[in-house]
């Protein structure tokens, strides 16, 4: 993969010289305060004849060198955050690319002491990587030349900073590939193949389950979702299992289940009216989990063990598709009445969560997560932010709050959402024939608590309802719904995937 690598760079105090770099990108809220006197004077002189300077991204040529100025806008208001740098960096690197630069350097002068911007340099680099990424199909067709920028120098960075942002960038790049690639190129077997290749030569153990008989036996809800895809071999489901074990003592275990719906037609509750377009990105949860594992593989954090299960499946329409009113007995032995076949992600993840819960009982200090582009309600309620819904033990440990606070510092925002009694009431059985209802038959976006009640369903079918704060073995569990944050601008058909949650999880648990 040819994503740009961060490298150490230095700007000399007396000149524009920055060895081995062909452009200097400066991101600031005030270019009149540049510490380099010569550079400041040149910028101020040009600002007298170019009113755009300080208002929009501007390319200057100073001493025969490209200098790109990218203003952040105000940084001091209550609602400003580090995304001011992230957004400015995206615009700046596109300008650098258009100018012909292939290895620019990034300089952030006069950073304030405001804690909101303590990782502004790293975030700016990650914003550049977001802007530069091109879809896997485009790279395979046009060649790597469509991503010409190979390195970005980080001025005044430490070697540890460079190591960390390179790990995050590698993980985000993989997550974008897995999320943003069309449904045939990234059908379940090919999704699994990408993961095998991604972790080849690393210390991540990879196990792929592709045998239909085994999936039917061990993961009956995932099997139900996949049933209509069985008629097409290239659409057969996969369960991808990943594991990282650090050297030395393990002090905490992170356990993830990711939703990998490579295409969601809605099944028998078919998506109509144009709402099916973009559903190749419904694998964003599994993509982000795999991306986080890639970041872990590159960084190799101490003390943290990470286990991930990815439910990679296609929700197809056909003569053998599952339908509402069916009752499926889950791995946990819970009888699930299907309320809507377009609420398939929670079914695909549920049995894997049950298996993960059993494994968690013997792990050191475990925390469990489901990560999914699950509901339109999360996007409607939270806008471009993830929605983190937690059980009692996770809430007591402030798990979601810690991740969300890290996300605020790394341009990976999320909102903490509560699980309440109404969510469990919503999924209660209506007859003695079943134990739990998977969903109602209305769109989540028009359903009260439409992104909260699915967490209750997952807790029940995963058996985590028996591991609350009142149990002898409480297990913290957070459901991360990234439907609102998974792609830029909420454009599920054309927007670039954001690799939501990769940076915040890495910052929270690996740094």
């Amino acid at each position: 993969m040819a994503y740009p690598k961060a490298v150490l760079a230095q700007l000399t105090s007396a000149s524009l010289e920055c060895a081995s770099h062909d452009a200097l990108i400066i991101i600031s809220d005030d270019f009149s305060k540049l510490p380099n006197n010569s550079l400041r004077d040149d910028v101020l002189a040009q600002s007298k004849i170019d009113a755009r300077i300080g208002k929009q991204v501007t390319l200057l040529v100073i001493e025969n060198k490209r200098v790109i100025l990218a203003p952040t806008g105000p940084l001091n208001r209550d609602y400003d955050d580090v995304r001011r740098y992230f957004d400015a960096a995206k615009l700046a690197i596109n300008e650098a690319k258009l100018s012909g630069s292939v290895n620019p350097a990034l300089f952030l002068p006069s950073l304030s002491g405001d804690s909101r911007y303590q990782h502004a340099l790293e975030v700016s680099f990650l914003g550049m990587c977001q802007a530069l990424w091109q879809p896997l199909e485009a790279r395979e067709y046009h060649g790597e030349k469509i991503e010409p920028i190979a390195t970005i120098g980080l001025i005044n960075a430490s070697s540890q900073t460079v190591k960390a942002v390179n790990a995050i960038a590698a993980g985000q790049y993989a997550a974008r590939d897995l999320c943003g690639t069309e449904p045939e190129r990234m059908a379940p077997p090919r999704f699994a193949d990408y993961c095998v290749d991604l972790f080849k030569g690393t210390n991540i153990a990879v196990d792929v389950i592709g045998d239909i008989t085994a999936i039917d036996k061990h993961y009956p809800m995932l099997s139900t979702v996949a049933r209509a895809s069985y008629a097409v071999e290239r659409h057969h489901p996969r369960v991808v299992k990943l594991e990282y074990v650090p050297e030395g003592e393990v002090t905490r275990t992170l356990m993830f289940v990711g939703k990998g719906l490579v295409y969601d037609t809605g099944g028998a509750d078919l998506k109509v009216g144009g709402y099916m377009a973009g559903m190749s990105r419904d694998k964003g949860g599994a993509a982000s989990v795999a991306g986080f594992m890639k970041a872990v593989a590159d960084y190799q954090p101490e003390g943290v063990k990470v286990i991930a299960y990815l439910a990679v499946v296609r929700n197809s329409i056909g003569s053998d598709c599952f339908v509402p009113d069916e009752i499926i007995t889950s791995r946990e032995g819970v009888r699930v009445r299907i309320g809507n076949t377009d609420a398939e992600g929670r079914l695909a993840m549920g049995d894997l969560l049950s298996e993960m819960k059993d494994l968690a009982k013997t792990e050191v200090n475990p925390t469990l997560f489901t990560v999914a582009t699950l509901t339109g309600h999360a996007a409607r309620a939270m806008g471009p932010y993830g929605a983190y819904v937690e059980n009692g033990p996770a809430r007591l440990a402030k798990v979601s709050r810690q991740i969300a606070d890290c996300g605020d510092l790394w341009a990976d925002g999320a909102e903490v959402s509560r699980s309440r009694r109404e969510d469990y009431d919503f999924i209660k059985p209506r007859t003695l024939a079943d134990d739990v209802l998977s969903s109602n038959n209305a769109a989540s976006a028009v359903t009260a608590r439409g992104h909260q009640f699915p967490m209750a369903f997952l807790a029940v079918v995963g058996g985590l309802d028996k591991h609350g704060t009142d149990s002898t073995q409480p297990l913290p569990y957070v459901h991360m719904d990234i439907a609102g944050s998974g792609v830029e601008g909420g454009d599920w058909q054309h927007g670039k995937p954001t690799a939501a949650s990769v940076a915040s999880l890495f910052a929270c648990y690996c740094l």
Side-chain angles (χ1 to χ4, degrees), residues 263-279 315 317 340-342 441 443:
Y263 205 78
D264 178 22
T265 68
D269 285 300
L270 193 68
K271 292 180 184 291
V272 296
Y275 288 101
M276 200 186 301
M279 286 301 101
N315 186 19
I317 183 71
N340 188 318
T341 65
D342 198 18
N441 57 5

Side-chain angles (χ1 to χ4, degrees), residues 28-49:
S28 178
D29 64 328
D30 187 354
F31 296 107
S32 69
K33 297 179 180 179
L34 296 176
N36 181 297
N37 292 335
S38 174
L39 177 58
R40 182 179 64 244
D41 292 344
D42 284 329
V43 170
L44 289 175
Q46 294 207 36
S47 68
K48 293 178 181 179
I49 58 174

Side-chain angles (χ1 to χ4, degrees), residues 1-182:
M1 294 189 295
Y3 52 87
K5 304 293 196 300
V7 296
L8 297 173
Q10 184 174 359
L11 180 68
T12 66
S13 59
S15 74
L16 287 171
E17 185 61 32
C18 192
S20 302
H21 296 282
D22 58 12
L24 176 63
I25 296 172
I26 305 174
I27 303 177
S28 178
D29 64 328
D30 187 354
F31 296 107
S32 69
K33 297 179 180 179
L34 296 176
N36 181 297
N37 292 335
S38 174
L39 177 58
R40 182 179 64 244
D41 292 344
D42 284 329
V43 170
L44 289 175
Q46 294 207 36
S47 68
K48 293 178 181 179
I49 58 174
D50 190 343
R52 296 173 301 170
I53 293 176
K55 298 177 182 178
Q56 66 183 64
V57 172
T58 312
L59 171 65
L60 310 180
V61 178
I62 303 176
E63 297 179 15
N64 295 317
K65 185 134 186 170
R66 300 178 185 93
V67 176
I68 297 165
L69 306 178
T72 61
L75 297 172
N76 59 330
R77 299 167 298 191
D78 288 347
Y79 55 86
D80 292 317
D81 59 54
V82 76
R83 288 175 298 170
R84 299 291 183 199
Y85 283 94
F86 188 89
D87 294 341
K90 289 167 64 178
L91 296 173
I93 199 65
N94 281 331
E95 185 70 20
K97 179 180 174 181
L98 289 171
S99 75
S101 173
V102 295
N103 55 353
L106 171 63
F107 180 44
L108 272 57
S110 61
L111 278 172
S112 72
D114 192 322
S115 62
R116 288 177 291 180
Y117 307 114
Q118 61 188 279
H119 298 297
L121 181 64
E122 300 97 304
V123 166
S124 296
F125 170 73
L126 295 174
M128 292 177 171
C129 292
Q130 173 74 23
L132 291 171
W133 176 84
Q134 295 295 330
L136 176 61
E137 305 99 316
R139 301 199 311 271
E140 290 176 339
Y141 181 80
H142 294 284
E144 299 294 341
K145 65 185 178 185
I146 68 169
E147 291 181 334
I149 294 180
T151 62
I152 299 173
L154 302 188
I155 295 171
N156 295 333
S158 68
S159 58
Q160 194 64 20
T161 293
V162 168
K163 179 183 178 183
V165 295
N166 277 332
I168 298 171
Q172 290 181 332
Y173 196 91
R176 292 185 200 107
D177 274 2
L178 288 165
C179 176
T181 303
E182 61 97 4

